[in-house]
Amino acid sequence: MERRAVEGNIDGDVKEDVEQHLGSVESLPDPFQIQVEFSFLAGAAPKYVCTYYDVVEYLNISSHSKLHTHILPKSNSKEPLEVKMDFMLVAILSVVEKLQTVSFYIVLNLEWKNTFATWDPQDFCNISKVILPTDAYWSPPIFILERVNGQNSNVDYMTVMHNGSFNSTQPFQVTLTCSLMILKFPFDTQTCNLTIASFLYPVTDLIMKTRRTPAEMMKDSQSYFLTDGEWKFTNLSIIEYMEELDDGEFSMVTYVISMERRPTLYILNLILPTCALYLLDMAVLFGPSSLEEKINFQIAIILGSSMLAVILNNILPTSSNKPPVIVVFFLGTFLLMVMAVLDTFFLLHQHHKSLRLGKVLRSSQQDVDTELAMTAMDNPLAKPGAHLLTPPRAAQEGGQPAKTQWQPQRQDLFLPVLEKLLLYSHFFLSLFFFAVISIKWSS
């Protein structure tokens, strides 16, 4: 016999036919929601319960008040309602070092059970799930602890299964506060936490758990990851714990997101130009130019390095427990350049001092020669040219001729030695500084 279901009140001729084939109507349960099977009623239009509207009417969502959307669907008071979560990181939108904030685009999937919203699929042509608005039933009120800004999801629907299983997938664009450790900038790796909790219900009423392992979430996140910019998503770990606040204990789940900076842009724009300027400064310092020209070149190089330092200052935070290595690098190269200028000034001062001393010594030599010539002219018995060969005895006993002849030569030998000493000291100090910086960046 062909079977068709009809729902509603039974009266008139239909009631007589039903009583004839199925017995008394009063013996059937709940005549207002009864399903009657018949195949022989002529002229009666059957009502099929094979639409989603029939499922919604059966669940009686439209008739009762909205209070049930705010009440925890918990039937057993001893066992808490379990909410299973799934997490996927879709994109790293921005990282602002000065504000210590990170913007993510994430997808959260929540799954829970409501034993008050069930039906038998066989009664509704095997309809086992329906899509309902989020406000049709209770949904977990989640709170992101580190969130400071962002946009809520515009997907206000959830999937309801016939066994009372609810599933809600919500995309979020969130800006989180994150303690960014920029000691090794731009070769740094950052770790940011995204903590999800529901502070309305203690662990006796609601508990939050993860549905999959971190490795599975990591694999899905990397397969859907959209951005290929400055930051690379490297690792994901999960921490489930209980937090005691006030008089209650609450369930929390923390997703620890690890990401690594791609330093290529900063190397090309900051580090390599600074190294090039410093190499140019060393080349000028060891070059054959005059000391005055060296000073002009070195000051111009210092001004160029200062412009790069201004660019770096706009990127890094204004405060930090320890200065980043790149700040030490810029400051060290700046001080080494200033030290090179000071060395050149010192050599120039010594050179001018040597010139003045040589001029004074030459003037003294000329005075002595003039005095000797006048003495020879006063002594007619002296041979011509004898004053040029034999100085006066008093001058020999005092050692004045030797001092007059050898002091400029000693001064001229001292300047090259002093210059080489300063240059090589500066060179080895630079090598030591760059070796220390490399070790700090690589450690």
Side-chain angles (χ1 to χ4, degrees), residues 188-209:
D188 53 331
T189 300
Q190 303 297 339
T191 301
C192 296
N193 296 340
L194 191 149
T195 304
I196 299 176
S198 182
F199 293 114
L200 296 179
Y201 305 101
V203 292
T204 55
D205 292 334
L206 185 143
I207 187 169
M208 309 187 77
K209 292 185 177 181

Side-chain angles (χ1 to χ4, degrees), residues 61-299:
I61 298 175
S62 59
S63 62
H64 54 99
S65 65
K66 293 294 182 179
L67 186 61
H68 69 285
T69 63
H70 307 289
I71 299 176
L72 185 71
K74 178 183 172 184
S75 58
N76 189 351
S77 59
K78 295 182 180 179
E79 294 183 3
L81 177 66
E82 188 175 281
V83 178
K84 295 182 179 180
M85 290 191 304
D86 200 0
F87 173 86
M88 184 171 63
L89 179 64
V90 180
I92 300 175
L93 301 179
S94 65
V95 177
V96 184
E97 288 85 357
K98 294 186 76 68
L99 300 179
Q100 297 279 288
T101 58
V102 181
S103 295
F104 293 129
Y105 183 66
I106 63 173
V107 175
L108 282 179
N109 181 268
L110 305 177
E111 184 177 328
W112 69 98
K113 277 199 173 185
N114 187 342
T115 57
F116 302 106
T118 60
W119 72 91
D120 189 356
Q122 294 182 357
D123 296 337
F124 301 93
C125 298
N126 293 325
I127 296 178
S128 60
K129 69 176 180 179
V130 293
I131 308 299
L132 295 177
T134 306
D135 58 356
Y137 276 98
W138 177 91
S139 59
I142 62 172
F143 177 79
I144 301 177
L145 190 62
E146 296 84 3
R147 181 173 179 175
V148 295
N149 198 0
Q151 297 179 2
N152 292 326
S153 170
N154 56 358
V155 182
D156 298 329
Y157 291 90
M158 58 186 175
T159 304
V160 183
M161 302 298 295
H162 69 280
N163 59 353
S165 177
F166 283 65
N167 191 291
S168 175
T169 301
Q170 303 288 332
F172 292 95
Q173 179 182 335
V174 292
T175 300
L176 309 177
T177 177
C178 181
S179 180
L180 300 175
M181 306 299 294
I182 57 171
L183 180 64
K184 295 183 180 180
F185 176 90
F187 307 98
D188 53 331
T189 300
Q190 303 297 339
T191 301
C192 296
N193 296 340
L194 191 149
T195 304
I196 299 176
S198 182
F199 293 114
L200 296 179
Y201 305 101
V203 292
T204 55
D205 292 334
L206 185 143
I207 187 169
M208 309 187 77
K209 292 185 177 181
T210 56
R211 192 172 61 188
R212 295 189 298 170
T213 62
E216 294 173 340
M217 296 183 189
M218 176 77 181
K219 184 177 179 180
D220 280 355
S221 297
Q222 289 181 337
S223 63
Y224 287 98
F225 200 70
L226 298 180
T227 55
D228 188 23
E230 180 181 353
W231 292 93
K232 178 183 177 182
F233 178 40
T234 57
N235 192 27
L236 177 67
S237 58
I238 303 174
I239 303 174
E240 298 181 10
Y241 61 100
M242 307 295 177
E243 184 74 20
E244 187 172 353
L245 298 173
D246 297 332
D247 296 333
E249 193 174 13
F250 300 90
S251 176
M252 292 188 177
V253 177
T254 299
Y255 295 94
V256 183
I257 303 170
S258 299
M259 50 190 181
E260 181 180 355
R261 190 193 302 268
R262 294 185 175 100
T264 306
L265 184 63
Y266 297 98
I267 292 175
L268 296 178
N269 287 345
L270 293 176
I271 298 177
L272 286 183
T274 303
C275 294
L277 289 175
Y278 188 75
L279 289 177
L280 182 60
D281 182 77
M282 294 293 293
V284 170
L285 187 63
F286 281 89
S289 304
S290 64
L291 296 177
E292 291 84 354
E293 292 178 348
K294 287 183 179 181
I295 291 175
N296 293 332
F297 279 119
Q298 288 170 341
I299 293 177

Side-chain angles (χ1 to χ4, degrees), residues 314-334:
N314 294 331
I315 300 174
L316 298 180
T318 55
S319 61
S320 179
N321 294 331
K322 292 182 180 179
V325 178
I326 193 170
V327 173
V328 179
F329 168 73
F330 268 84
L331 181 61
T333 53
F334 182 81

